[in-house]
Every structure is written in C-alpha cells, then in structure tokens.
Amino acid sequence: MHLGRKYYNLVLWAPTPVLHKKWLDLIVKQQTVLRERSMIFDTVVLNEGYFYGANKVNCAAPFNNGRSIVFGTNDGVYISDLRNASKEPVRVLALLDVLQVDVLEDYQLLIVLS
C-alpha cells in the first residue's frame, strides 16, 4: 500500500476477510479526508468542447467582476460570458500563439503578450 509522499510499504494483517474489508474502508475514508483537506484549488470547467485540437487555451483572465473571461489561445484572443455558458466564445483579436493576457478594468485596457 502506498502511503504519503515519501512512501513506504506497510503490511496490515487481519484475521478475517470482514475485518480486512473494514480496515481498507477506513483507510480509504481517511485518505479521502486528508486529500480534501489539503485541496487548495477547486477546478471549474469554464468552457467545454470549443477549444480543441491545435487551438488550445494558453492563458485566461477574468474581468467584469468575474462575469466574463478572456482566453489567450494559439489562434487569438477570445471573450466568453460566464453567465451564459451555452454561448460560444467570441474571437476579438486574431493573433498567433497568445502567451499571456490580463485586463486592467480601471483603465479599460486589455494587455496581450503574443
């Protein structure tokens, strides 16, 4: 059994299959608790199925108080409204290999590194 980052093998003996199953259930439950407690980030799908193949997302930045998002892709810069998830992102700049995007909302400025 693999335990921890600097793992080691540990053999646990149980006299009956029922106790063996109980031990395994408790170990798995504790591993799940520890994994959830150490989770720093929560993964959320922002757009599914639109960016695929050669047009992959390289970076993203929120704007409009988190209601919209700017994607930097291999094909350009796209804007998507998170309130309407069924609507496809709209390409606003046709640039190749966008590496970084940022939005300065106070100055109404979109910064793109391509």
Side-chain angles (χ1 to χ4, degrees):
M1 181 175 287
H2 174 78
L3 297 173
R5 182 174 52 171
K6 296 180 181 178
Y7 71 93
Y8 55 91
N9 289 329
L10 183 64
V11 179
L12 300 175
W13 296 95
T16 65
V18 174
L19 286 175
H20 180 262
K21 174 78 170 128
K22 185 175 179 180
W23 268 97
L24 283 177
D25 290 343
L26 289 172
I27 290 171
V28 169
K29 182 179 176 184
Q30 187 62 31
Q31 285 177 337
T32 304
V33 168
L34 290 173
R35 219 175 278 119
E36 288 175 358
R37 188 173 29 176
S38 66
M39 185 180 290
I40 298 171
F41 299 105
D42 188 18
T43 305
V44 177
V45 176
L46 298 174
N47 188 289
E48 190 171 16
Y50 186 77
F51 299 108
Y52 59 89
N55 190 20
K56 68 178 186 119
V57 175
N58 299 324
C59 54
F63 74 100
N64 196 11
N65 293 323
R67 292 188 294 263
S68 299
I69 192 162
V70 176
F71 295 104
T73 70
N74 290 343
D75 189 36
V77 177
Y78 291 78
I79 292 181
S80 178
D81 187 6
L82 296 178
R83 294 174 292 177
N84 188 1
S86 62
K87 188 175 178 185
E88 292 184 348
V90 177
R91 185 165 68 174
V92 292
L93 288 173
L95 297 172
L96 293 178
D97 298 327
V98 176
L99 299 174
Q100 190 173 354
V101 294
D102 199 3
V103 178
L104 302 178
E105 291 190 57
D106 295 340
Y107 300 102
Q108 295 182 345
L109 195 63
L110 171 66
I111 300 172
V112 179
L113 177 64
S114 176

